[in-house]
Amino acid sequence: MRSKWVLPWLAFGLVLVPFVAYPNEEVLRLGKDPGQWPMQRKNYWATGYSELNQINTQNVSRLKVVWTFSTGALRGHEGSPLVVGTTMYVHSAYPNHVYALDLTKKPYALKWKYTPKQDERAVPVACCDLVNRGLAYANGKIFLNTLDGQVIALDANTGKEVWKTKHADPARGETITMPPIVVHDKVLVGISGGEFAVRGRVAAYDINTGKRVWLAYNTGPDEDLLLDPDFNKENPHYGRFGEGTRTWAGEEWKIGGATQWGWLSYDPDLNLYYYGTSNPGTWNPTQRCPAGRDPKKGECDNKWSTSIWARNPDTGRGRWAYQMTPWDAWDYDGVNENVLVDLTIGGKKVKALVHFDRNGFAYTLDRTNGTLYVAEPFVYVNWAKGVDKKTGRPIENPEKRTKQGVDTKNICPCAMGGKDQQPSSYSPQTGLFYVPTNNMCMNYEGVEVKFTAGAPYVGANVLMFPGHEGKDDYWGALIAWDATTGKRVWEIREKFPAWSGTLATGGGLVFYGTMDGWFKAVDAKSGKVLWQHKVGSGIIAAPMTFLGPDGKQYIATYSGVGGWFGLPVAAGLPPDDPFGALGAVGAAYQSGLDKATTLGGMLYVFGLE
């Protein structure tokens, strides 16, 4: 049954909560209720974990499809639906349909549908598929980011627009694919466009009016970065003031990438929210470190790209930042999720932040100040020999640093990373993280590229293939990870990259999907596959679970192949150019993905017989 404090909500008819004084308290409360799924990763800590245990290791073999819903879109479907009260909120890939489904009607009734009017110029400048990573809820409103850069608030009961504002401009190569998050009375958003010479930024908008409250850049002068006076005080070796310009050549920071298109998390006790930034522009590292600058002195670090930021959500002030990949030469975006958990490391209790980076290393940091505790490879890595725990900097393998005019061979992981955006989950029952990973390497050649506003600013030719320098016959794996020691506990190898998110539950289960359309449940302790079901299209979404009005637990996931690896299938790209779609064409067709799945756009809901 639902928590008893939720029952009055149902009596009043779901999300009508006009008297909540602090919307963050409402969202915090909903996130703690096992029966609800009010934000993309279940709660502010982004754990992707639900205490629900009706579906468990003993009965999961009886799981069946109980109903389905077509989203009306056929590109890649990422993120998860929301459940608040007795309503499910469903989103789609572009054109970003939003649906409200009444779960009190069997199996559901459509309450309303909303499709935003968008600038079609966003479609050709959207990197790596026309995805959307989901909605946010707070204070009787649903918040949506659109591909063309709008932030929109809808009445959760009627679907009517409350307000909308423009945050990104596709004419300049800017789009939005990330999900928003609501903290206090603000909705927090970022932008995509690191491949189009966009200057990355994040902002907060008032949830009641849509008025912008603050704007902070990730590159540039300190006043643009909104640095706190105590910024990186505990770890000055990470860099403090002036780094947003000093570590760039000339004014390259103005077209420096460092966008924010991934997941957000928040610690209510510290009042800090966390996000990661993308690659610097261009992908060609030679252009970002011209003759006369010494990278050994950090003069080419390109801060604060490929970094984790901790900011005050009320003011935007940056409390600390840590850069995983200085002077990125491999497109190792740092946008992946930052999961907030309390861990015991070396006998000491730590308010930890755990991050699985594209560069192949898993980081465990102190989320109060960024101090690094653990940094170990969670996939096969050869571009670096490790991470120096004292400085926080990678110990590079010079043979794998890419350069202009040189085709550097067999770099692991590839630009798609040890994992891409697909979010991990954490189970307090086992103390383990469940991480969808890629097993891929690449050849990478930097090429000169000229800046033109709104045009691609990539500057690299990339060829991708399976891991261990092409020796492996599998492209991905689901792994269980101990973030206190930096060790794998078990793995399940997959034919294709494990591109879906994961869900951990109180029933001792982990759910995830595969790019060839298998939805699986595994034992969280052993990794044994206990159940699987074939759906209509590849899964790149993040599964979720909820308690229906009938008091029963359900599991839900989108199917709909796409994302960077799946883009050639989702967009029907020809197979003749293996460098196409930033290397995805060669990888997708070599793996056989085009023969393993077809286009989709469906929500599947599972329950026990």
Side-chain angles (χ1 to χ4, degrees), residues 120-133:
E120 294 183 356
R121 291 177 297 177
V123 173
V125 300
C127 170
C128 317
D129 204 9
L130 309 181
V131 298
N132 183 285
R133 297 186 182 92

Side-chain angles (χ1 to χ4, degrees), residues 62-382:
R62 297 177 11 226
L63 209 58
K64 300 290 184 182
V65 176
V66 293
W67 56 272
T68 61
F69 180 82
S70 175
T71 69
L74 289 177
R75 298 298 284 266
H77 280 60
E78 295 180 349
S80 64
L82 306 182
V83 169
V84 180
T86 57
T87 300
M88 174 180 281
Y89 299 96
V90 176
H91 73 280
S92 82
Y94 183 84
N96 305 139
H97 302 304
V98 182
Y99 305 89
L101 307 181
D102 184 349
L103 301 180
T104 65
K105 309 294 175 61
K106 292 291 185 179
Y108 64 84
L110 180 62
K111 293 179 63 175
W112 52 260
K113 172 187 175 182
Y114 173 83
T115 302
K117 295 180 180 179
Q118 296 201 56
D119 186 339
E120 294 183 356
R121 291 177 297 177
V123 173
V125 300
C127 170
C128 317
D129 204 9
L130 309 181
V131 298
N132 183 285
R133 297 186 182 92
L135 309 167
Y137 167 84
N139 204 29
K141 301 180 184 66
I142 291 294
F143 299 92
L144 164 70
N145 291 332
T146 65
L147 189 70
D148 74 341
Q150 299 177 75
V151 184
I152 300 174
L154 305 174
D155 185 292
N157 283 322
T158 66
K160 300 296 184 183
E161 285 184 6
V162 179
W163 55 258
K164 61 182 176 181
T165 189
K166 194 71 170 171
H167 179 66
D169 182 1
R172 298 188 300 189
E174 300 174 353
T175 53
I176 306 181
T177 57
M178 64 158 294
I181 191 172
V182 174
V183 176
H184 302 144
D185 56 351
K186 301 170 185 66
V187 57
L188 309 176
V189 298
I191 60 169
S192 309
E195 283 63 53
F196 287 83
V198 168
R199 183 184 175 200
R201 61 185 185 271
V202 291
Y205 293 89
D206 185 286
I207 64 169
N208 296 309
T209 66
K211 182 180 179 180
R212 193 173 75 194
V213 180
W214 56 257
L215 174 70
Y217 288 92
N218 299 318
T219 65
D222 293 349
E223 57 268 27
D224 291 0
L225 301 179
L226 299 186
L227 298 186
D228 188 271
D230 288 334
F231 177 71
N232 274 348
K233 178 181 66 174
E234 295 85 354
N235 293 286
H237 51 285
Y238 292 173
R240 297 198 70 190
F241 306 106
E243 299 289 313
T245 54
R246 185 185 70 82
T247 59
W248 295 84
E251 294 188 337
E252 283 283 314
W253 53 267
K254 290 184 176 180
I255 51 174
T259 58
Q260 196 282 304
W261 52 266
W263 310 92
L264 304 177
S265 49
Y266 169 63
D267 186 325
D269 294 328
L270 299 174
N271 197 31
L272 291 175
Y273 92 98
Y274 306 88
Y275 66 89
T277 60
S278 79
N279 59 286
T282 161
W283 285 24
N284 178 3
T286 303
Q287 284 187 232
R288 291 183 274 106
C289 191
R293 297 182 72 86
D294 187 352
K296 294 182 180 180
K297 295 181 179 179
E299 294 176 355
C300 300
D301 280 358
N302 305 139
K303 293 190 182 327
W304 293 94
S305 65
T306 62
S307 300
I308 297 170
W309 276 93
R311 291 188 183 273
N312 181 306
D314 299 312
T315 64
R317 292 288 173 185
R319 176 62 182 85
W320 60 262
Y322 168 71
Q323 187 175 46
M324 288 77 69
T325 314
W327 192 27
D328 173 38
W330 310 272
D331 185 45
Y332 288 153
D333 291 44
V335 301
N336 293 349
E337 74 283 358
N338 299 294
V339 184
L340 312 182
V341 293
D342 293 345
L343 301 174
T344 300
I345 301 176
K348 176 185 176 183
K349 290 187 177 181
V350 175
K351 288 183 175 296
L353 177 153
V354 179
H355 173 88
F356 299 91
D357 199 61
R358 282 253 286 262
N359 70 14
F361 288 93
Y363 297 84
T364 304
L365 302 101
D366 187 320
R367 66 179 181 267
T368 67
N369 55 39
T371 297
L372 178 64
Y373 290 106
V374 179
E376 298 293 337
F378 66 96
V379 295
Y380 176 66
V381 172
N382 68 13

Side-chain angles (χ1 to χ4, degrees), residues 311-582:
R311 291 188 183 273
N312 181 306
D314 299 312
T315 64
R317 292 288 173 185
R319 176 62 182 85
W320 60 262
Y322 168 71
Q323 187 175 46
M324 288 77 69
T325 314
W327 192 27
D328 173 38
W330 310 272
D331 185 45
Y332 288 153
D333 291 44
V335 301
N336 293 349
E337 74 283 358
N338 299 294
V339 184
L340 312 182
V341 293
D342 293 345
L343 301 174
T344 300
I345 301 176
K348 176 185 176 183
K349 290 187 177 181
V350 175
K351 288 183 175 296
L353 177 153
V354 179
H355 173 88
F356 299 91
D357 199 61
R358 282 253 286 262
N359 70 14
F361 288 93
Y363 297 84
T364 304
L365 302 101
D366 187 320
R367 66 179 181 267
T368 67
N369 55 39
T371 297
L372 178 64
Y373 290 106
V374 179
E376 298 293 337
F378 66 96
V379 295
Y380 176 66
V381 172
N382 68 13
W383 72 273
K385 301 172 183 178
V387 175
D388 186 322
K389 305 301 191 300
K390 292 182 179 180
T391 65
R393 298 179 72 90
I395 306 167
E396 282 193 30
N397 177 356
E399 296 178 357
K400 301 303 181 182
R401 171 157 281 281
T402 69
K403 305 175 183 66
Q404 181 173 306
V406 177
D407 190 12
T408 305
K409 305 288 189 180
N410 294 319
I411 305 166
C412 307
C414 73
M416 293 185 185
K419 69 182 283 297
D420 197 76
Q421 59 77 35
Q422 58 269 40
S424 60
S425 58
Y426 170 77
S427 171
Q429 289 185 337
T430 62
L432 299 177
F433 290 79
Y434 301 96
V435 190
T437 69
N438 305 327
N439 181 45
M440 299 170 64
C441 301
M442 67 179 173
N443 299 341
Y444 189 117
E445 177 190 15
V447 296
E448 185 176 3
V449 61
K450 301 295 185 183
F451 166 68
T452 301
Y457 192 58
V458 178
N461 294 319
V462 179
L463 185 70
M464 302 182 189
F465 40 85
H468 290 85
E469 293 88 29
K471 299 173 185 176
D472 291 337
D473 61 357
Y474 66 101
W475 293 74
L478 176 71
I479 70 170
W481 182 262
D482 185 336
T484 66
T485 62
K487 302 292 184 182
R488 281 193 188 198
V489 178
W490 52 254
E491 74 170 8
I492 303 171
R493 294 181 178 181
E494 293 290 349
K495 180 179 180 181
F496 301 103
W499 209 275
S500 90
T502 64
L503 164 69
T505 74
L509 297 169
V510 176
F511 291 88
Y512 74 106
T514 68
M515 294 195 83
D516 53 347
W518 286 100
F519 189 47
K520 301 184 180 184
V522 306
D523 187 301
K525 293 180 179 178
S526 68
K528 181 181 178 181
V529 177
L530 302 177
W531 169 88
Q532 58 184 351
H533 178 87
K534 181 75 168 179
V535 298
S537 181
I539 300 173
I540 63 169
M544 55 83 74
T545 186
F546 64 96
L547 208 60
D550 56 4
K552 296 180 180 180
Q553 181 186 0
Y554 297 92
I555 309 290
T557 188
Y558 296 117
S559 77
V561 74
W564 187 357
F565 191 93
L567 177 60
V569 175
L573 302 180
D576 49 335
D577 178 12
F579 299 97
L582 304 175

Side-chain angles (χ1 to χ4, degrees), residues 578-591:
F579 299 97
L582 304 175
V585 168
Y589 287 107
Q590 182 184 349
S591 72

